[in-house]
């Protein structure tokens, strides 16, 4: 079963408008971390924002904010005032610890391709 | 912030060649590094977890003898694709994170491997 679900293969937004990228997750672990990464066409993975499962407030980093709804198990990324340079793939990921010990793992969703139109 | 350097960024070589990819944490020590593989228009798939001073932990379905991982120091992990074939062509990317619990994994810029 998929642990991270990103239901939007592609999204379009006009420059200067806000856009929400959806992410839902599945875990029975009470302690987990959620991340969003941006991957431009050049390939590098750029860390955007983090939300811990025990964090009381939604995370914000500049134009990025995370709409964390724990009961719904969703962690949507909101990008405000979109810029042309925001066009990229966006991946939601969850950090999990194996139940039988070992190192953490990052599990990624399939990604959403965001296109910002001028 | 934390920086991870990956080298080379692009490799084109003949079938049967072995290719080594390096992953370095430049300003922090990383007892654990991670190697991912990404096919075009797909997500990142974890191949293995590299542990400093011990054997790597491979994900199910990843051939240990094909993808050799060495983590000889706290700042360097290497992935060697042995006797590479065209089906090994892919984008390989490593990551590492500082040992504080809430730090994100920081990624290298990736290596595009093309086997002719």
């Amino acid at each position: 079963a998929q642990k991270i679900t990103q239901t939007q293969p592609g999204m379009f937004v006009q420059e200067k408008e806000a856009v929400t990228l959806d992410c839902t997750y599945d875990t029975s672990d009470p302690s987990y971390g959620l991340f969003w990464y941006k991957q431009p066409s050049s390939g590098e993975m750029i860390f955007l924002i983090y939300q811990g499962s025990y964090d009381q407030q939604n995370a914000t980093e500049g134009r990025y904010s995370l709409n964390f709804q724990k009961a719904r198990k969703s962690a949507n990324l909101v990008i405000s005032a979109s810029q042309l340079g925001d066009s990229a793939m966006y991946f939601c990921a969850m950090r999990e610890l194996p139940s039988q010990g070992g190192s953490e793992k990052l599990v990624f969703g399939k990604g959403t391709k965001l296109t910002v139109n001028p | 912030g934390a920086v991870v350097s990956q080298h080379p960024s692009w490799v084109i070589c003949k079938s049967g060649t072995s290719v080594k990819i390096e992953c370095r944490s430049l300003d922090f020590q990383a007892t654990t590094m991670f190697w991912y593989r990404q096919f075009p228009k797909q997500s990142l798939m974890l191949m293995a977890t590299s542990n400093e001073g011990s054997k790597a932990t491979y994900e199910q379905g990843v051939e240990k003898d094909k993808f050799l991982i060495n983590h000889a120091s706290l700042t360097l992990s290497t992935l060697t694709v042995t006797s590479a074939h065209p089906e090994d062509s892919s984008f390989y990317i490593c990551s590492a994170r500082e040992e504080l619990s809430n730090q994100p994994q920081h990624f290298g810029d990736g290596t595009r491997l093309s086997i002719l």
Side-chain angles (χ1 to χ4, degrees):
Chain A
Q2 253 185 330
K3 294 193 174 184
I4 295 286
T5 302
Q6 293 180 254
T7 58
Q8 307 153 315
M11 287 285 285
F12 293 87
V13 65
Q14 285 298 121
E15 194 178 7
K16 300 180 183 178
E17 293 186 351
V19 63
T20 298
L21 306 184
D22 295 341
C23 173
T24 57
Y25 59 93
D26 182 24
T27 182
S28 56
D29 190 339
S31 178
Y32 51 89
L34 297 160
F35 302 81
W36 277 92
Y37 286 87
K38 172 185 178 181
Q39 188 179 40
S41 57
S42 50
E44 70 268 31
M45 293 287 285
I46 302 167
F47 165 71
L48 296 178
I49 197 165
Y50 165 80
Q51 180 84 43
S53 59
Y54 294 120
D55 292 344
Q56 295 295 315
Q57 294 186 330
N58 287 343
T60 61
E61 288 286 349
R63 294 187 299 111
Y64 304 108
S65 60
L66 204 151
N67 183 1
F68 182 46
Q69 298 188 42
K70 195 169 182 177
R72 294 185 177 183
K73 293 188 175 179
S74 74
N76 299 339
L77 175 70
V78 180
I79 304 174
S80 62
S82 297
Q83 302 171 357
L84 295 178
D86 293 335
S87 294
M89 283 291 291
Y90 288 81
F91 291 97
C92 179
M94 178 172 65
R95 177 158 65 200
E96 60 176 16
L97 288 171
S99 58
Q100 298 197 357
S103 298
E104 66 174 51
K105 295 183 182 183
L106 262 189
V107 178
F108 286 86
K110 292 186 176 182
T112 296
K113 184 176 182 180
L114 176 66
T115 302
V116 180
N117 294 317
Chain B
V3 177
V4 174
S5 173
Q6 187 171 340
H7 178 81
S9 56
W10 198 293
V11 179
I12 302 174
C13 58
K14 294 181 179 179
S15 183
T17 306
S18 292
V19 178
K20 180 185 282 189
I21 303 169
E22 293 186 348
C23 182
R24 294 180 185 273
S25 56
L26 295 185
D27 54 358
F28 65 98
Q29 294 183 331
T31 56
T32 305
M33 292 184 176
F34 306 88
W35 288 96
Y36 296 84
R37 183 174 183 175
Q38 185 180 30
F39 290 107
K41 299 186 179 181
Q42 293 190 22
S43 188
L44 277 72
M45 295 298 297
L46 180 65
M47 298 174 64
T49 302
S50 172
N51 305 298
E52 188 268 335
S54 65
K55 291 182 180 180
T57 305
Y58 290 82
E59 294 300 301
Q60 193 172 10
V62 177
E63 298 177 58
K64 300 178 182 181
D65 296 333
K66 163 66 89 174
F67 300 101
L68 299 179
I69 291 173
N70 183 274
H71 195 152
S73 77
L74 287 172
T75 58
L76 174 64
S77 174
T78 60
L79 168 68
T80 301
V81 184
T82 61
S83 187
H85 289 94
E87 59 267 26
D88 298 323
S89 298
S90 189
F91 185 65
Y92 295 87
I93 190 166
C94 70
S95 73
R97 74 174 183 91
E98 298 173 81
E99 295 302 324
L100 299 175
S101 61
N102 290 337
Q103 291 300 307
Q105 289 186 19
H106 292 277
F107 286 80
D109 287 346
T111 298
R112 296 191 187 278
L113 176 62
S114 296
I115 308 298
L116 304 178

